[in-house]
Amino acid sequence: MTEWHDAAATDALSDDEVMGLSIAGVPVALFRQEGAFFALHDLCSHGAARLSDGFVENGCVECPLHQGLVDIRSGAPCSAPITEPVRSYPVRVVGDRVEIALDR
Amino acid sequence: MPQGETTYVVVGGGQAAAWIARTLRAEGFAGRLVLIGEEPHWPYERPALSKEFLRGTGSVEAITLLGAAQAGEAGVECWLGQRVTAVDREARVVTTADGRSVAYDTLFLATGGRARRLPGLDSLPAERVHTLRTLTESERLRGALAGAKHLLVLGGGWIGLEVAATARALGVEVTVVEAAPRLCARTMPPVVSDWLHALHESHGVRMVTGVGIADITGTADGVAVALADGGRLEADQLLLGIGIEPEVGLAAAMGLALDDGILVDAQGRTSDPRIFAAGDVARHPSAFARASLRLESWVNAQNQAIAAARAALGGTGVYADIPWFWSDQYGVNVQMLGLPGLGTRAVARGAPEAGSGCWLMLDGSGVVVGAVAVNAARDLRVLRKMLEDGRAPLPDAWADTATPVQRLPSRPNVRAD
């Protein structure tokens, strides 16, 4: 059964913004894109960098260390040097709170 | 797109070579693909060689870009440990030292460079003298540092400083000798040199700048360096960090146009339209610099290689990145954008000299030529976007850390002709 964790208030992020969270000890980068929320594991699949420190543009986040691009909605790699996907977590909005499930 | 029996050959076995091969396959090249590397290793990335790998916390696997399994899967024939001795441009045939040959339709040169050495070093005990370019050299230096008390670094550039930081982390005493008056003088403005100087001294490195070397001799248990000012330094290990020479011997013998590197156009094409070059060895036109540049950086090796591979398959895109480079020392991440060394005025955002902030560098006419960020990668990234769009923040607003960089007032950033 999916366990949902409270992550943030819905008004904590504007579009194209990202915040780094620790959810039950797991680093999570929470993004807002066109009003919807997405969560990725907050570690680049290429190097030891936090995606929540990255630059958001055109639906992708750019790793601050090596400029590799990751698709915010899926975690799929979009440009060199990233070749492995970043884990993406389910997100839902309950009232004015954003919740994240880790057990996928 | 070339198909079937078409053969593409990549000369070189480093990062740029790997990205050429990977990109050709990713973009659908279905012909024969041969990569010929002089080093015995599968193509790998070099940044960790002076940091994690040298410290002993890295691994060959972690830095390998194109390993055996991946090459097999992608159908890249890798001839490793083989030196190319000749390229016949008329017959379009590449020949190696052990007599193998392959005919090409398109050729890529990603021959990189080799660490510069000083004359007269050959008389020194070889186990005491190091350069750092390859994985093998990093392993050798790591072994030497394990038993070393004092490392002498000749050259206060990025490699020398990164090795100094790693050696300090390993508990080795370090002295850095730089003949120029300041560190990283070729690429950095004085404000950054001064900060690096203080950073290393705060970690116990002895810095000697503005002093040349008169003589280097071997001693019973190490090396001794006579300084031009009469001083004398002894150490059990010596690292030469005085830059690289682009590996242009083959290109010169082939008659390609050279100028401190192989001259290429914005797509990586050399003076022979069937031959491309990329990475440390290639000198390309930079729209940002309004000059040709030969860059020795990780991102250049990757992105110029990708651009050249795409161009070889008929793509029309060009390589137009603004120069970008990073270094990690003592856990501090330093990133450089543009050509900060051309700047004559530095405007600080935050407190870079204290470990978090970014210097904006302006030239004499007030145009932003680059920036240097200390643990402030995000600010530098936003600035890059502005510069790519031909704009720059107003210098007077740059220090306003209460406003995100993307919301700072900006103006067109165009250098006068």
Side-chain angles (χ1 to χ4, degrees):
Chain A
M1 183 183 139
T2 301
E3 184 184 353
W4 292 94
H5 299 265
D6 184 61
T10 51
D11 62 0
L13 283 177
S14 303
D15 274 345
D16 286 344
E17 285 188 347
V18 55
M19 66 194 296
L21 301 166
S22 178
I23 307 288
V26 176
V28 173
L30 180 67
F31 300 85
R32 195 178 120 157
Q33 295 277 296
E34 296 169 333
F37 293 89
F38 303 91
L40 296 177
H41 195 63
D42 196 9
L43 187 67
C44 180
S45 59
H46 174 257
R50 286 161 60 95
L51 291 176
S52 58
D53 290 332
F55 180 78
V56 174
E57 189 176 53
N58 301 327
C60 291
V61 59
E62 185 184 285
C63 170
L65 202 52
H66 295 123
Q67 303 184 353
L69 294 173
V70 175
D71 186 304
I72 288 169
R73 289 160 196 262
S74 66
C78 294
S79 88
I82 300 175
T83 52
E84 298 294 316
V86 175
R87 185 172 177 184
S88 125
Y89 298 109
V91 175
R92 71 178 185 186
V93 172
V94 178
D96 61 355
R97 303 296 298 179
V98 181
E99 297 184 342
I100 295 175
L102 300 175
D103 54 352
R104 190 171 74 171
Chain B
M1 187 173 291
Q3 298 290 339
E5 292 308 300
T6 307
T7 300
Y8 282 13
V9 175
V10 184
V11 179
Q15 185 194 357
W19 277 108
I20 290 166
R22 285 169 74 149
T23 305
L24 288 171
R25 285 304 188 217
E27 301 280 327
F29 175 66
R32 185 182 179 200
L33 181 49
V34 180
L35 179 151
I36 309 174
E38 199 168 322
E39 291 185 59
H41 312 288
W42 293 92
Y44 61 90
E45 298 182 327
R46 303 189 192 277
L49 298 183
S50 54
K51 302 185 273 284
E52 301 91 337
F53 192 80
L54 181 61
R55 191 171 172 168
T57 56
S59 68
V60 174
E61 187 191 19
I63 61 175
T64 297
L65 257 184
L66 187 67
Q70 199 180 5
E73 205 172 295
V76 183
E77 268 178 65
C78 291
W79 301 3
L80 303 178
Q82 303 213 24
R83 191 166 54 86
V84 172
T85 48
V87 174
D88 182 335
R89 289 205 281 146
E90 293 284 315
R92 303 207 308 261
V93 171
V94 175
T95 307
T96 68
D98 60 355
R100 292 174 82 173
S101 64
V102 56
Y104 67 84
D105 295 283
T106 297
L107 180 69
F108 299 86
L109 299 176
T111 46
R114 65 176 63 224
R116 199 174 279 139
R117 295 180 69 86
L118 291 170
L121 289 177
D122 295 341
S123 61
L124 297 173
E127 70 277 13
R128 305 283 181 183
V129 180
H130 302 267
T131 50
L132 180 51
R133 168 74 182 177
T134 66
L135 201 159
T136 303
E137 289 172 315
S138 180
E139 286 175 333
R140 183 171 174 272
L141 179 58
R142 189 205 300 163
L145 288 178
K149 285 201 197 81
H150 185 192
L151 171 71
L152 183 56
V153 177
L154 295 187
W158 296 108
I159 286 290
L161 294 180
E162 289 185 352
V163 171
T166 301
R168 289 302 297 138
L170 293 170
V172 179
E173 279 177 55
V174 179
T175 303
V176 174
V177 178
E178 167 57 54
R182 56 186 182 86
L183 303 174
C184 297
R186 189 172 63 88
T187 52
M188 289 296 115
V191 67
V192 176
S193 301
D194 293 347
W195 167 70
L196 287 167
H197 194 117
L199 176 70
H200 280 265
E201 285 190 336
S202 76
H203 284 86
V205 174
R206 181 176 171 204
M207 280 288 172
V208 181
T209 51
V211 182
I213 304 295
D215 193 24
I216 308 177
T217 50
T219 65
D221 51 3
V223 293
V225 171
L227 300 174
D229 67 359
R232 177 183 163 89
L233 296 166
E234 289 193 12
D236 35 17
Q237 296 292 340
L238 178 73
L239 171 78
L240 277 175
I242 53 174
I244 67 164
E245 299 281 358
E247 191 67 83
V248 295
L250 183 65
M254 292 163 65
L256 297 177
L258 307 178
D259 177 14
D260 175 40
I262 302 170
L263 284 175
V264 298
D265 67 13
Q267 290 197 305
R269 199 174 282 102
T270 69
S271 54
D272 179 332
R274 282 183 181 273
I275 303 177
F276 293 77
D280 289 4
V281 78
R283 173 172 287 277
H284 70 280
S286 162
F288 178 82
R290 295 186 172 198
S292 72
L293 299 176
R294 187 176 65 75
L295 299 173
E296 299 164 3
S297 74
W298 177 94
V299 77
N300 178 68
Q302 172 185 284
N303 289 350
Q304 194 178 36
I306 290 172
R310 287 179 176 156
L313 295 175
T316 55
V318 298
Y319 176 62
D321 288 9
I322 296 175
W324 178 73
F325 175 75
W326 90 89
S327 174
D328 290 301
Q329 300 170 30
Y330 308 110
V332 177
N333 177 250
V334 195
Q335 297 196 3
M336 285 120 308
L337 179 69
L339 302 166
L342 296 183
T344 52
R345 181 185 162 208
V347 182
R349 175 178 173 84
E353 72 289 346
S356 179
C358 183
W359 285 289
L360 191 68
M361 297 303 308
L362 298 92
D363 69 10
S365 61
V367 171
V368 171
V369 292
V372 180
V374 179
N375 288 333
R378 192 182 172 81
D379 280 357
L380 198 76
R381 178 59 185 89
V382 179
L383 177 65
R384 177 157 74 87
K385 169 73 178 157
M386 291 173 88
L387 294 181
E388 285 169 354
D389 293 342
R391 301 188 67 81
L394 298 183
D396 291 346
W398 180 244
D400 173 16
T401 51
T403 306
V405 172
Q406 62 270 25
R407 297 202 198 118
L408 292 176
S410 65
R411 66 187 183 197
N413 192 60
V414 181
R415 271 195 273 174
D417 283 310

